[in-house]
């Protein structure tokens, strides 16, 4: 298929699996697949637009969506308006699906499946009746009917041959086979961690910070002198302080706690806490208590936590009072490294690695870019990894069109 973005393929498979295990059918399944599709979320497609596409009136769409949210994570709206938290129920559900269940689905399918089946057994008869009534409204469509759960297969994590190796076009690179470069940066980061300090990676947006964090997580077990369990948290999926503590405790395998109890319950743990989009901690819902906890847990060579965090701005500037470094709760905790754009040689090496990728379908491995094309890619991308990826992807598509 031309859209050979492996992450997109996994997203669609995940949605189908969730619908299958919760036995969403007919119009209920249509609404679920449309509303919780990341493509619709990222493009700000409204419920009114989705309802029109499906061919259902908006009030019925919203009523069904509310039922789906309750089935998925037990969010039930009482009366009119939003919940007291102020969050839209479907957005709350969306975040839980894509920041918690999705990771579990990819990394441990059996555990995910068992958990989903348990939740399915806990759905009350009145909710099952509501779903049944909703299904009766839908027209017969064999393509939307549920197949047996036994036929559902996990994503194996292995790549079929790629038609275009210049992927993903955006977002972090999760597959280790597709991660490129940053060898010196990784070396310096682990040298710093092994010296007893924590690390902050500072760089502009879409410069590869998230992909680098993921690679650090993968290499932690072999590169750290003191064994630590890596925990990767993207704070974009965290609502507030309590949600952060809940996620940390879940990954650490302890009951929800903070402050003194957190310190006590983690005293026998050694963790590498990897935080992406740490700017989120400047938002409402986060207080200085969370900074104090992290600082206390990260101080000392034998500390419970070592931190690797990513941000677009220096932490002292980000969290300091009116830019005063020593007022930042992170002051002196992290050694900062600037993630720079790629130089010309790195760009050339990246292009060569993708054109010669063993993941590329053999019949396309003969494609090469001309020197003029490579020079143009260098100039237009200005060393920005995400821009370079998009430009290379477009150029490779032109070659594919010539071969077709």
């Amino acid at each position: 298929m031309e859209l050979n973005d492996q992450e997109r393929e996994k997203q669609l498979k995940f949605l189908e699996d969730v619908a299958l295990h919760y036995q969403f059918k007919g119009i209920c399944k249509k609404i679920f697949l449309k509303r919780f599709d990341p493509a619709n979320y990222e493009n700000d497609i409204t419920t009114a637009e989705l309802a029109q596409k499906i061919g259902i009136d908006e009030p019925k769409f919203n009523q069904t969506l509310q039922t789906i949210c309750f089935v998925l994570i037990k969010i039930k709206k009482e009366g009119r308006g939003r919940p007291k938290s102020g969050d839209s129920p479907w957005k709350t559900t969306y975040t839980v699906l894509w920041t918690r269940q999705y990771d579990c689905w990819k990394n441990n399918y059996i555990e995910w499946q068992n958990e989903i089946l348990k939740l399915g057994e806990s759905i009350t008869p009145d909710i099952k009746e509501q779903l049944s009534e909703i299904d009766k409204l839908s027209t017969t469509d064999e393509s939307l009917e549920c197949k047996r759960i036994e036929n559902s297969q996990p994503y194996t994590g292995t790549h079929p041959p790629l038609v275009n190796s210049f992927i993903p076009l955006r977002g972090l690179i999760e597959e280790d086979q597709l991660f490129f470069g940053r060898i010196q940066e990784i070396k310096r980061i682990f040298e710093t961690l092994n010296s007893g300090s924590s690390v902050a990676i500072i760089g502009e947006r879409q410069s590869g910070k998230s992909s680098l964090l993921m690679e650090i997580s993968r290499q932690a077990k072999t590169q750290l002198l003191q064994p630590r369990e890596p925990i990767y948290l993207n704070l974009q999926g965290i609502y507030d302080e309590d949600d952060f503590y809940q996620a940390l405790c879940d990954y650490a395998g302890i009951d929800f706690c903070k402050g003194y109890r957190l310190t006590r319950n983690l005293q026998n743990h050694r963790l590498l806490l990897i935080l992406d989009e740490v700017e989120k901690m400047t938002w409402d819902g986060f207080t200085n208590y969370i900074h104090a906890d992290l600082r206390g847990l990260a101080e000392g060579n034998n500390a419970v936590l070592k931190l690797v965090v990513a941000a677009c701005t220096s932490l002292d500037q980000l969290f300091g009072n009116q830019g005063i470094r020593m007022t930042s709760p992170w002051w002196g905790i992290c050694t900062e490294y600037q993630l720079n754009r790629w130089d010309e040689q790195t760009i050339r090496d990246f292009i060569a690695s993708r054109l010669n990728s063993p993941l590329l379908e053999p019949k396309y491995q003969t494609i090469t870019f001309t020197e003029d094309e490579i020079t143009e890619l260098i100039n237009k991308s200005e060393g920005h990894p995400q821009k370079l990826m998009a430009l290379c992807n477009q150029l490779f598509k032109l070659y594919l069109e010539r071969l077709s």
Side-chain angles (χ1 to χ4, degrees), residues 263-285:
T263 302
R264 187 188 65 183
N265 291 343
L266 287 177
Q267 61 184 346
N268 293 323
H269 291 69
R270 291 299 176 268
L271 306 173
L272 180 66
L273 183 57
I274 302 170
L275 300 179
D276 203 358
E277 302 284 354
V278 78
E279 290 95 341
K280 185 74 175 283
M281 285 188 175
T282 63
W283 292 20
D284 290 342

Side-chain angles (χ1 to χ4, degrees), residues 27-35 54 61 64 68:
I27 201 70
C28 189
K29 182 179 179 182
K30 280 186 176 181
I31 290 173
F32 169 74
L33 293 178
K34 290 290 187 183
R35 183 64 285 173
I54 293 174
F61 184 103
T64 305
I68 290 171

Side-chain angles (χ1 to χ4, degrees), residues 60-77:
K60 192 64 184 178
F61 184 103
N62 288 328
Q63 179 186 350
T64 305
L65 186 59
Q66 180 182 340
T67 302
I68 290 171
C69 291
F70 181 73
V71 168
L72 290 172
I73 61 170
K74 299 297 182 289
I75 291 182
K76 188 171 184 180
K77 187 174 70 174

Side-chain angles (χ1 to χ4, degrees), residues 28 40 58 74 124 129 172 181 268 286 290 300 307 311 349 385:
C28 189
N40 290 331
E58 188 177 359
K74 299 297 182 289
T124 57
E129 183 178 350
L172 65 86
N268 293 323
F286 293 88
I290 193 171
L307 301 166
D349 291 343

